Amino acid sequence: MATQLAPEHVVGRDRLIERAWHALEKHSVLFTAERRIGKTTVMKKMQAETPDGVTVRYLDLEKVGSPIRFVEVLLAEVRSLLPKSERAKKLFGELMGHLGGVEIGGVVKLPANNGAKWWQPALERVLACVCEHAPTTTLVLFFDELPYMLQKIAGCTEEGGDRAALAVLDVLRSARQEHPNLRMVFSGSIGLHHVVHALRDGKCASEPTSDMMTIEIGPLEASDAQDLARRLLSEARVECDSVDTVAAELADLTDRVPFYIERVAMCLALEPSPITPETVQRQVQSHLTNDLNHWEMEHFRQRIPTYYPGTIPVGDRATLAKADIVSCILDELSICESPRSIAEVCVAIKSSHPVENRALVIDLLRNLVLDHYLVCNDHKHYSFRFPLIRKWWQLAQGLAA
Ligand SMILES: Nc1ncnc2c1ncn2[C@@H]1O[C@H](COP(=O)(O)OP(=O)(O)O)[C@@H](O)[C@H]1O
Ligand SMILES: [Mg+2]
């Protein structure tokens, strides 16, 4: 996880945050976004500026790998919500006694050997206890990197793997339904839809997040991205003839993603002065072509076989990996200047692979939108979501002129 900014240094996001609070009045929320867009930053800012009548607890689940650890982390966070009365102390003591836990210096430890299913009622009880006794009208729990935790739980066979991970989602869903003052925000850089799909293993099961409202976190607004660029250039003592022009170029060429703005601004500080828009263009190009992978763009290519597993039959005996079809779609769209229809994408795939399965192509295009690679316009034409990633893909696949 990146180092977190103090809330007063967070640029923009006000309208998004307002929308999120509005949604949270009635619903729980699923934040979706590409990694490094600024999800954690948004949640931390919301935590720092919580409206009246709302209490927030933020849980970083990146290091949590078992349901029991999840209950422990939750217990430690929500404990302070119970009123400091003797009655509440007694209540917490009773809860810990019931769970067989101990608390040392604010860290809660629960027994790990009470049987695989034991944590389920414990989680239910903790959520019920805090919702019934917390002195607040609405409690919002932020679960950051939840999909990552679920993946780890699923990979942990002694906990019952996939079933345990799905059960965590089910308990959380039941708690949302049961307690009218409880809201949750799920966030993470791995798409939750991939994790849930893998957990169900294609089988039909309850949809664990269908009651939640999805909010996509996009790049910064243009004026905010330019403000951030100006501030970072000034902090790095970058000398420019026209700081406004350089900041505008920097914001534009990095797709207004704060993480990339920061990286380029740092490198500009090492360039000879004065910095011009051309220097920014050179720096961005150098980041995009650098095999040292400073921007971790390689991730967009490496994760494709994991996100799109499986093969399809082609011809009599041969098979074709779905990941290869996905790469082919991205290759085609990376070199097209305008968005492409489903029919055009199908024709492009057929020119290199014997794929007749139109439904599969439609499904892959839809998933590429969910994974933030692509966007679909009102004519149902597809193109890359981020010009920067399109440019990187073109270069990385050797397709650039
Ligand atoms: N609104 C913002 N204003 C200024 N910097 C930001 C903002 N959002 C993100 N950043 C910078 O980008 C980095 C990555 O953001 P982060 O919130 O950790 O992304 P995510 O959680 O989506 O992976 C942060 O550490 C911060 O330095
Ligand atoms: Mg994060």
Side-chain angles (χ1 to χ4, degrees), residues 31-336:
F31 276 153
T32 70
E34 197 35 74
R35 64 211 287 270
R36 300 285 169 74
I37 275 278
K39 299 176 291 299
T40 302
T41 306
V42 165
M43 287 186 276
K44 291 284 186 169
K45 189 168 161 71
M46 289 177 78
Q47 185 185 27
E49 298 167 3
T50 303
D52 290 343
V54 177
T55 299
V56 163
R57 284 296 177 271
Y58 169 89
L59 282 83
D60 178 5
L61 303 177
E62 193 179 349
K63 296 202 174 75
V64 176
S66 73
I68 290 175
R69 185 74 197 119
F70 176 53
V71 182
E72 285 173 350
V73 170
L74 182 66
L75 247 182
E77 272 304 322
V78 298
R79 197 232 149 126
S80 59
L81 296 178
L82 297 172
K84 293 199 175 15
S85 66
E86 281 311 308
R87 202 177 141 264
K89 272 191 208 150
K90 190 159 162 266
L91 191 86
F92 186 76
E94 274 171 17
L95 182 65
M96 290 289 276
H98 182 84
L99 304 178
V102 288
E103 188 197 10
I104 306 160
V107 178
V108 175
K109 268 327 270 169
L110 298 177
N113 55 357
N114 277 7
K117 287 274 174 157
W118 162 86
W119 60 267
Q120 248 169 277
L123 181 55
E124 281 160 10
R125 213 177 167 97
V126 170
L127 289 167
C129 182
V130 79
C131 287
E132 282 156 25
H133 298 275
T136 172
T137 47
T138 307
L139 169 63
V140 183
L141 297 174
F142 285 88
F143 293 125
D144 200 1
E145 297 300 351
L146 176 96
Y148 192 54
M149 174 187 85
L150 294 172
Q151 262 190 347
K152 283 211 257 179
I153 293 176
C156 176
T157 45
E158 68 206 63
E159 299 288 348
D162 291 2
R163 268 177 296 113
L166 273 177
V168 169
L169 283 173
D170 281 342
V171 174
L172 293 179
R173 185 193 163 107
S174 306
R176 291 195 297 275
Q177 283 164 349
E178 221 162 282
H179 307 292
N181 62 336
L182 178 64
R183 303 280 182 280
M184 294 174 194
V185 177
F186 289 177
S187 178
S189 298
I190 308 170
L192 187 61
H193 55 287
H194 283 295
V195 179
V196 171
H197 186 80
L199 292 177
R200 287 160 158 186
D201 195 21
K203 288 188 224 43
C204 199
S206 68
E207 182 55 71
T209 57
S210 59
D211 60 317
M212 301 178 83
M213 191 180 252
T214 300
I215 295 185
E216 181 171 352
I217 302 183
L220 294 175
E221 287 174 25
S223 59
D224 294 329
Q226 288 170 22
D227 282 351
L228 177 63
R230 254 192 304 273
R231 196 186 78 203
L232 293 169
L233 291 170
S234 144
E235 280 172 9
R237 297 201 171 80
V238 174
E239 282 175 32
C240 319
D241 281 341
S242 160
V243 75
D244 286 345
T245 320
V246 169
E249 188 75 352
L250 176 50
D252 192 37
L253 291 182
T254 51
D255 283 354
R256 312 191 310 275
V257 174
F259 174 75
Y260 299 133
I261 298 176
E262 270 175 14
R263 291 289 167 113
V264 178
M266 265 159 47
C267 293
L268 289 176
L270 306 174
E271 290 271 352
S273 310
I275 299 300
T276 63
E278 289 71 37
T279 333
V280 181
Q281 288 159 17
R282 236 184 323 106
Q283 265 301 334
V284 171
Q285 182 74 8
S286 146
H287 273 94
L288 288 177
T289 49
N290 192 327
D291 280 328
L292 294 177
N293 193 24
H294 288 309
W295 279 2
E296 296 166 27
M297 288 264 185
E298 193 55 49
H299 171 81
F300 293 113
R301 184 161 56 182
Q302 275 172 353
R303 71 185 183 185
I304 287 178
T306 318
Y307 271 24
Y308 302 90
T311 56
I312 56 157
V314 284
D316 279 348
R317 263 178 248 141
T319 57
L320 180 63
K322 286 185 191 173
D324 288 341
I325 307 173
V326 165
S327 293
C328 181
I329 294 174
L330 295 176
D331 284 353
E332 170 66 11
L333 295 179
S334 77
I335 52 171
C336 291

